[in-house]
Amino acid sequence: MSSSQQPASDENAVPDTQLGLTEDQVELLRHGQQAVAAAAGSTSSRAASRASSQGLLLMDSSSLTALGRHFDRVMQSIQQRLEYLMEQSQIVTLSVYDRAGNLIDNADAEIARYNDILVQIDELELDFDRISHIREIVRGFRQRAEELERELERSGGGSSSSRRHGHSSRRSHGHSSSSGKRRA
């Protein structure tokens, strides 16, 4: 029986280069035929292995069925791997999206913090300008007070210090009020 199968196998063998396929397709067919032969271990599989090593493709229905099943299994394996990788891709995408969302939230918080700092800087600069202005006013009052004290000392050299101080104080207050009215 094996001798009758062998000639049938050889009769049904076609050179794989004459099938009108690309080199890649021929290589896949040869590889598939060898994989089927290695898995089966029967007389027909030995014939398939021999045919494959000689650059032939067995064209009988049982060989083609086995080859078709092999490629079905290969495709199923590829499909499972694709599905796994797609799931992993979605996980990575969601992870990146979550991290990006967190980055955006963190960036929003930092921007809000930065804006608060800018507001505080503006307030401090305004306070600084106000204090600087008040300091200049105080300097002006001090200079006027010193000038008045010098004038009083020159004009009324014999007056007592307590009287001078009281007099100066009154003049200073009067000056301050009129100065305040002018600036306001």
Side-chain angles (χ1 to χ4, degrees), residues 129-149 172 175-176 179-180 183:
D129 290 344
R130 279 188 256 177
I131 298 298
S132 175
H133 183 67
I134 294 291
R135 183 183 68 183
E136 293 302 316
I137 291 172
V138 168
R139 276 187 188 160
F141 286 159
R142 188 188 77 219
Q143 286 174 350
R144 283 185 238 150
E146 289 172 354
E147 287 173 13
L148 287 174
E149 285 178 6
S172 177
H175 218 25
S176 174
S179 166
R183 293 194 184 271

Side-chain angles (χ1 to χ4, degrees), residues 55-121:
L56 300 172
L57 177 64
L58 295 179
M59 298 296 282
D60 64 284
S61 65
S62 66
S63 296
L64 291 174
T65 299
L67 191 57
R69 287 185 187 140
H70 167 74
F71 286 123
D72 287 344
R73 287 189 300 275
V74 169
M75 288 178 61
Q76 184 179 14
S77 175
I78 291 170
Q79 183 65 35
Q80 288 172 349
R81 184 73 178 149
L82 278 172
E83 288 173 5
Y84 171 77
L85 292 174
M86 288 177 150
E87 287 175 17
Q88 293 303 306
S89 146
Q90 288 177 343
I91 290 169
V92 168
T93 300
L94 290 175
S95 175
V96 167
Y97 180 76
D98 287 347
R99 277 188 255 144
N102 288 339
L103 287 175
I104 290 170
D105 290 345
N106 290 342
D108 287 345
E110 289 301 314
I111 289 170
R113 182 173 169 248
Y114 180 73
N115 286 333
D116 287 345
I117 289 170
L118 289 178
V119 166
Q120 291 176 21
I121 288 172

